[in-house]
Amino acid sequence: MKKIILPLLLIGLFIHALMSLNAQGSGYKVTKTFHIASSGGWDYISSDPESNKLYVSHGTQVNILDKKTGDSLGVIPNTTGVHGIAFAEHFGKGYTSNGRLNNVTVFDLKTAAVFGQIATGENPDAIFYNDYLKKIITCNGGGQSLSVIDPATGTVVATIPVGGKPETAVSDDKGKVFVNIEDKNEIAEVDITTNAVIARWPLAPGERPTGLAIDRKTHRLFAGCNKMLIVMSSDDGKIVANVAIGNGCDGVGFDSKRKLVFASCGEGVVSVVEEVSANEFKNIENVPTKRGARTIAVDEKLHAVYLPTADSQPQAAGAQGRPQMIPGTFQIVVVEK
C-alpha cells in the first residue's frame, strides 16, 4: 500500500502546484490611468525607447506624456487624422503619419518643434523607422503602398506597391520588411534593398490581420487576427502556432526580454502570450483593461504596456460599429506587473 500511496501523493502535490501556478496568471494588471482632456479620436501610441516620452495620436494632434506620471510634456499640432508616431533617433527626428492630410509631420525629438511635412502615398497609417537602411516607412492604406522616406534629405526615395491594404509592418533589420495585408489575409515580404515584394504568405485560418510584431532572435512574426494570434516563421512564411486571444485586436507588441507577446483587444482585455520556445506559445492570461483599448505600445525598459481608450456612449442591442466616445474621457491605461 505504501508504494501506491506515495506516488499518488506526489502526483497530487504536482497537480496542486501546477494549478496554483496557472492561477497566478501573468502577474500583469492595470496600475494607473492617464487622462487627456482634449477631444478627438485616436489610433496608435508609441513609446520613445531613448527618452521618458510617450506619444499619443489624438485627432488633429499628438500628445506627449511623461511615461511614469502621465504629465503633459508637449503637443505636436496640425496632424489631422494622425495614426502613428515613429522615431529616427540617429537624426534626432520624430515623424507622425497624418492619414487625412496624406503626409507626415517631421518634428524635433528634444523640443517637439515642427520642421515641416512630407507628402506620402494616400492615407499613411502605420509608420516605423527601419534602422537597417536608416529610413522612415509608412503603410499607405488608401494607396496600397509603402512610402520610404530619407530623414537626411526629407524626401520620399521610393514607393513600393504591395497589392493590398497594408495595415502594419515590421523589419528584421537585415533588409526585409514584413507587412500585414489586411484585405488579403496575408503577410507580404518586402526586400527593402530592392523595394519589391518578394513573397506573399497566407495567414489562414487568420483573417483581417491588424497588429504585427517580430522576434528577431527566433525569426517569428506575431499577427493579430480574428480572435487569434498567428505565429509565423519570417524565414519561409510557415505558420508555427495559432493562439486564442481576445476579440477586436488592433495592436500587437513584444517584450523581447520577458519573451511575452501582448495583443490589445477592443473588447477590454490584453492577451498575454508567452513564447516558451520558438515553436511553443501559450496564452497565459487575458488581462482586463477597458473596452475600446485596442492599440498598444510596449516599453521594454520599463516593461510597461500602454493602451489608449475612452469612455463610450451606451449602444442599442445589435448595433454595429464602434460606440461613440464621451467627450473629455480620453485616457491611457497602463498595464504592469
Side-chain angles (χ1 to χ4, degrees), residues 185-221:
N185 302 326
E186 66 183 18
I187 288 180
E189 181 187 20
V190 178
D191 187 330
I192 205 65
T193 63
T194 61
N195 298 320
V197 174
I198 58 175
R200 296 183 182 278
W201 298 326
L203 282 162
E207 296 179 350
R208 301 197 68 80
T210 52
L212 185 66
I214 186 172
D215 184 344
R216 296 186 179 95
K217 290 185 178 180
T218 60
H219 300 190
R220 294 294 180 259
L221 297 167

Side-chain angles (χ1 to χ4, degrees), residues 34 45-56 63-68 71-74 76 85 87 89 107-113 297 299 302 306:
F34 302 150
I45 181 171
S46 297
S47 176
D48 184 348
E50 301 300 327
S51 76
N52 192 43
K53 296 176 181 178
L54 185 70
Y55 292 79
V56 185
N63 292 80
I64 309 172
L65 306 183
D66 183 293
K67 292 180 188 178
K68 297 179 181 178
D71 292 340
S72 176
L73 300 177
I76 302 168
I85 307 96
F87 315 107
E89 303 284 356
F107 64 93
D108 188 292
L109 285 176
K110 290 184 179 180
T111 67
D299 189 293
L302 298 177
Y306 300 94

Side-chain angles (χ1 to χ4, degrees), residues 51-287:
S51 76
N52 192 43
K53 296 176 181 178
L54 185 70
Y55 292 79
V56 185
S57 65
H58 194 204
T60 61
Q61 66 186 35
V62 171
N63 292 80
I64 309 172
L65 306 183
D66 183 293
K67 292 180 188 178
K68 297 179 181 178
T69 66
D71 292 340
S72 176
L73 300 177
V75 171
I76 302 168
N78 304 320
T79 61
T80 304
V82 59
H83 287 285
I85 307 96
F87 315 107
E89 303 284 356
H90 178 78
F91 300 90
K93 298 176 181 178
Y95 298 78
T96 73
S97 53
N98 310 323
R100 294 185 183 178
L101 300 178
N102 298 326
N103 64 24
V104 301
T105 294
V106 188
F107 64 93
D108 188 292
L109 285 176
K110 290 184 179 180
T111 67
V114 173
F115 293 127
Q117 295 178 324
I118 303 169
T120 63
E122 184 182 350
N123 187 23
D125 193 340
I127 184 171
F128 73 102
Y129 179 62
N130 181 281
D131 191 57
Y132 181 78
L133 287 183
K134 304 266 186 304
K135 299 292 189 294
I136 287 287
I137 299 175
T138 65
C139 294
N140 308 317
Q144 298 191 356
S145 65
L146 307 181
S147 291
V148 183
I149 298 172
D150 184 352
T153 63
T155 60
V156 173
V157 294
T159 299
I160 308 172
V162 292
K165 183 178 181 294
E167 179 67 12
T168 319
V170 294
S171 169
D172 66 356
D173 280 345
K174 294 180 180 179
K176 302 293 175 54
V177 166
F178 306 94
V179 190
N180 267 347
I181 307 298
E182 185 179 18
D183 57 343
K184 303 295 184 181
N185 302 326
E186 66 183 18
I187 288 180
E189 181 187 20
V190 178
D191 187 330
I192 205 65
T193 63
T194 61
N195 298 320
V197 174
I198 58 175
R200 296 183 182 278
W201 298 326
L203 282 162
E207 296 179 350
R208 301 197 68 80
T210 52
L212 185 66
I214 186 172
D215 184 344
R216 296 186 179 95
K217 290 185 178 180
T218 60
H219 300 190
R220 294 294 180 259
L221 297 167
F222 311 114
C225 297
N226 50 320
K227 296 185 182 180
M228 63 182 71
L229 182 77
I230 299 295
V231 183
M232 175 182 284
S233 168
S234 63
D235 293 325
D236 54 19
K238 291 183 178 179
I239 292 179
V240 175
N242 174 0
V243 185
I245 59 173
N247 188 28
C249 175
D250 198 18
V252 177
F254 181 58
D255 188 327
S256 62
K257 296 176 182 177
R258 291 185 173 175
K259 290 293 183 180
L260 296 175
V261 185
F262 298 89
S264 51
C265 305
E267 70 169 86
V269 302
V270 57
S271 296
V272 184
V273 176
E274 181 183 7
E275 184 179 30
V276 181
S277 70
N279 296 310
E280 183 182 356
F281 298 81
K282 62 180 180 180
N283 183 339
I284 55 177
E285 188 178 8
N286 288 329
V287 180

